[in-house]
Amino acid sequence: MTPLETCLGSASLLAAGWSTLTWTYVFVTVTFSAYLYIGWSSRVKETEGFYVAGHGVPPMANGAATAADWMSAASFLSMAGLISFMGYDGSVYLMGWTGGYVLLTLLLAPYLRKFGKYTVPDFVGERYYSETARVIAAFCAIFISMTYVAGQMRGVGIVFSRFLEVPVWHGVVVGMVVVGLFAVLGGMKGITWTQVVQFGVLIVAFLIPAVALSCKLTGNPVPQLGMVFSDIGPKLNALQADLGFAEYTEPFSAGGRSMLDVVCFTFALMVGTAGLPHVIVRFYTTKSVRAARWSGFWALIFISLLYTTAPALAMFARTNLLQTLHGAEVSSIERLDAADGENGLAIYTLTTAGDAADPDSPGRPIEWVDSWQRTGMIRFNDANGDGVIDMTNTDGAFAEAVIDRDIIVLATPEIARLAPWVVALVATGGLAAALSTAAGLMLVISSSIAHDLYFHFFDRTASEAKRVAVGRWAIVAAIGVAGYFGVNPPGFVAQVVAFAFGLAAASFFPIILLGVFDKRTNREGATAGMLVGLIFTASYIAAARADKIFGVAEPWLDDRAWGVSAEGIGAIGCLLNLVITLVVSRMTPAPPERVQRLVESVRVPAGSHDPDAHFDESDAAHD
């Protein structure tokens, strides 16, 4: 046992007898109370405080809040699971999301901050001197955010169902109430400081089991180094080959994504990230353009902690899972009936296959599978009746087990037999990741409805108090819709989120990019481009996922028929948007002279100085 494992195990003795359930209740109660207190103490009455935290968030704090906002339930709960199951092909999430954030920070964020508005539709409406474009952008923001927030609510439900032993919909309701309260009370100000705390919770919760697993499997406490400088990769490749799967590190393996689909998916995630309204609006909360640049730098540092650890954790989890379950012996089978809330669900009691070289291993009960089976997220079927679980490859899946990818991060501490408080801490981190992103998305929906639609089209004389009140009611309504889709999601958490990225790629990114760098782009082009990109992408996704979204027997479209999956179709939508926008803009009158001067003033820093001077103290006045 390594020193770290000894430390983690010894810590549990401080509360000997406390189960994972008890620890989870303690952590959840403490953290949720902190979130609610921050929301109450940060409550605001003015629109500037409600929408952009009064433009007064320090760069490092905004960097932490941005990282928490951006690292959603998909990043925390699902990304390592997807990489673990997809191997090399799963790296598309890593490359797409990370590359997109760099693209946003370097290419767009400083210019959008200099523009100095509240929302992305604000930018679109002013830049394209069109209320029609503002309305379309507002609906795009609402649609994207609702798609994205459904994944977060699903993540909350999964954590609650497993670790607090309640149905998924109970967890979704609790998450709705908590995020609703601190978002309604504090607006962006309350959400920002809550996200700072949530970042601390989620990053600690993610790193501790990764470090412990790295010590156990590679002997190196740094997961990234353990993955690269140990034999864990070759061992996993050999294990995969023994079970009939492609090597874990083999790219574009049979049955996986084609090279075209990987490229399109990565591109969609990348430009979709750069177009996500809840991430963009975080740069509006800083005091100046210079502060926006520094907050982007800090966010990149914070995000890299999780994103460089996730591939290592995925490899460790895959190895641990296969070694634990393949060949496990079936001790008994319990069938739940209607009185248990389930009809015919089989609960397998398993023990390890045993290893003569490992005195801890022979006959050891695999306790963690029991609770996960009761959530329905792991199922076993000893089809050949030999009393042994077979994890070999059968048509691209495990022969006698079905495992939901979303549980990999949550189940890994239990599989590695870490202390109960570590397991509970990971569950609390998953909740923090989901709630932080959900809160940011709620505010985007609120500002789109209350500021971009209500104030601009229904009541231009509305008082500050009335505008804030409308924003708060918009959050309440959005939470209700998000809760429904959280209980009835159209796919895995990360896949649901991937759809949001595809829609953002097809709608916002092209018009923001051209709005900053091409002064000839006009309102006719932007409107046509957004409509074509969004309708094309949304229609393709709806047709390819009709069975999940509309409940029909079969999808209306084979999402591999064109060589591009539903997750990657946003790349095509983005290119369509760009082409339509450029062509229509050149065929219609140029923007007014004042708009062209506005574009130049946003892109070109005030004064004449070198680009490096933007980080100088003397440049702050210009910003």
Side-chain angles (χ1 to χ4, degrees):
M1 182 174 286
T2 67
L4 179 67
E5 290 175 293
T6 303
C7 176
L8 294 174
S10 300
S12 66
L13 297 178
L14 295 174
W18 282 25
S19 64
T20 299
L21 179 64
T22 304
W23 275 111
T24 306
Y25 270 109
V26 170
F27 285 152
V28 168
T29 301
V30 170
T31 54
F32 278 25
S33 298
Y35 304 155
L36 294 175
Y37 172 76
I38 293 171
W40 172 260
S41 61
S42 304
R43 58 191 185 280
V44 295
K45 297 180 180 178
E46 301 79 23
T47 52
E48 187 167 281
F50 192 79
Y51 294 137
V52 290
H55 295 303
V57 182
M60 184 180 288
N62 199 54
T66 304
D69 206 346
W70 188 66
M71 291 190 294
S72 60
S75 295
F76 189 96
L77 298 178
S78 285
M79 186 172 66
L82 285 167
I83 297 173
S84 183
F85 274 72
M86 298 168 67
Y88 181 93
D89 291 353
S91 62
V92 296
Y93 293 94
L94 201 66
M95 295 185 293
W97 285 335
T98 308
Y101 184 77
V102 174
L103 191 66
L104 171 62
T105 303
L106 299 181
L107 189 64
L108 300 177
Y111 307 113
L112 293 174
R113 174 61 188 88
K114 190 172 183 180
F115 197 81
K117 292 293 182 178
Y118 288 167
T119 66
V120 173
D122 245 356
F123 170 82
V124 174
E126 293 291 329
R127 165 59 182 86
Y128 294 108
Y129 50 100
S130 168
E131 294 302 292
T132 301
R134 181 193 296 273
V135 170
I136 295 173
F139 278 108
C140 287
I142 294 169
F143 191 42
I144 292 166
S145 299
M146 287 304 308
T147 307
Y148 202 166
V149 81
Q152 312 313 308
M153 289 294 105
R154 176 66 175 174
V156 171
I158 289 172
V159 175
F160 268 87
S161 69
R162 163 59 190 89
F163 293 99
L164 295 181
E165 300 180 1
V166 298
V168 169
W169 74 269
H170 286 185
V172 172
V173 170
V174 173
M176 290 164 59
V177 171
V178 172
V179 76
L181 283 175
F182 72 73
V184 166
L185 290 173
M188 178 58 89
K189 186 178 179 183
I191 288 171
T192 297
W193 293 109
T194 304
Q195 287 173 335
V196 172
V197 175
Q198 288 167 335
F199 170 75
V201 173
L202 75 88
I203 199 66
V204 170
F206 196 85
L207 292 180
I208 285 180
V211 170
L213 264 180
S214 184
C215 288
K216 181 177 181 178
L217 296 179
T218 71
N220 193 319
V222 182
Q224 296 86 341
L225 298 180
M227 179 181 68
V228 175
F229 297 108
S230 74
D231 61 352
I232 185 73
K235 279 185 177 177
L236 180 54
N237 282 338
L239 187 56
Q240 291 268 116
D242 289 343
L243 297 177
F245 291 96
E247 289 190 350
Y248 186 78
T249 54
E250 178 185 344
F252 315 121
S253 57
R257 294 179 183 274
S258 66
M259 185 180 294
L260 173 64
D261 193 30
V262 167
V263 171
C264 287
F265 192 11
T266 304
F267 182 76
L269 290 175
M270 191 175 292
V271 297
T273 297
L276 282 178
H278 74 290
V279 180
I280 291 174
V281 78
R282 287 240 51 93
F283 293 96
Y284 292 152
T285 64
T286 58
K287 185 178 181 180
S288 65
V289 175
R290 177 171 172 273
R293 291 192 179 100
W294 277 112
S295 71
F297 167 79
W298 282 115
L300 196 57
I301 296 295
F302 295 142
I303 289 169
S304 68
L305 291 175
L306 189 145
Y307 268 64
T308 57
T309 304
L313 181 61
M315 182 176 284
F316 301 156
R318 179 80 175 184
T319 303
N320 215 21
L321 187 73
L322 295 180
Q323 289 177 340
T324 302
L325 291 183
H326 182 62
E329 298 173 357
V330 180
S331 301
S332 62
I333 301 175
E334 174 191 3
R335 292 199 178 276
L336 302 183
D337 54 26
D340 300 310
E342 300 287 349
N343 192 10
L345 179 64
I347 305 297
Y348 281 62
T349 300
L350 304 179
T351 58
T352 55
D355 181 353
D358 183 356
D360 293 331
S361 178
R364 174 174 57 82
I366 308 176
E367 297 168 342
W368 62 271
V369 299
D370 183 85
S371 50
W372 281 109
Q373 288 180 86
R374 295 179 189 277
T375 68
M377 302 186 76
I378 291 181
R379 298 192 302 276
F380 297 103
N381 179 23
D382 183 18
N384 56 16
D386 63 355
V388 174
I389 297 300
D390 183 3
M391 298 289 283
T392 55
N393 183 5
T394 301
D395 298 328
F398 297 125
E400 295 182 342
V402 177
I403 301 174
D404 192 317
R405 304 173 187 187
D406 287 343
I407 70 169
I408 288 297
V409 170
L410 295 174
T412 292
E414 296 175 280
I415 300 172
R417 304 174 68 190
L418 299 181
W421 69 268
V422 178
V423 180
L425 182 62
V426 173
T428 310
L431 290 172
L435 294 179
S436 62
T437 303
L441 293 164
M442 291 297 171
L443 197 73
V444 169
I445 295 170
S446 168
S447 59
S448 296
I449 294 174
H451 178 72
D452 296 305
L453 297 179
Y454 174 76
F455 177 66
H456 279 272
F457 295 98
F458 295 99
D459 190 357
R460 293 301 296 258
T461 62
S463 64
E464 289 279 306
K466 191 172 184 180
R467 291 169 62 186
V468 172
V470 172
R472 284 176 168 147
W473 280 111
I475 289 178
V476 173
I479 287 175
V481 179
Y484 171 79
F485 285 110
V487 177
N488 305 283
F492 295 115
V493 171
Q495 288 179 334
V496 173
V497 171
F499 296 156
F501 281 80
L503 297 176
S507 57
F508 280 140
F509 179 77
I511 60 168
I512 294 175
L513 180 71
L514 295 176
V516 172
F517 294 100
D518 181 26
K519 65 180 182 181
R520 184 62 178 78
T521 298
N522 63 15
R523 64 184 176 190
E524 290 82 1
T527 303
M530 276 195 296
L531 286 175
V532 170
L534 189 67
I535 291 172
F536 168 79
T537 305
S539 300
Y540 190 95
I541 291 173
R545 291 290 181 272
D547 55 331
K548 300 285 186 181
I549 299 173
F550 304 109
V552 298
E554 296 290 337
W556 299 328
L557 178 69
D558 180 358
D559 69 353
R560 303 296 174 93
W562 297 357
V564 181
S565 65
E567 294 91 340
I569 200 64
I572 307 301
C574 176
L575 297 177
L576 277 176
N577 187 335
L578 276 170
V579 171
I580 295 294
T581 302
L582 288 170
V583 170
V584 173
S585 294
R586 265 58 181 181
M587 295 174 64
T588 48
E593 190 61 31
R594 66 170 182 82
V595 173
Q596 297 190 45
R597 287 198 301 272
L598 173 66
V599 174
E600 291 178 346
S601 69
V602 167
R603 191 174 67 249
V604 180
S608 178
H609 45 240
D610 295 333
D612 290 344
H614 299 314
F615 284 94
D616 291 344
E617 291 292 338
S618 59
D619 189 54
H622 294 304
D623 290 338

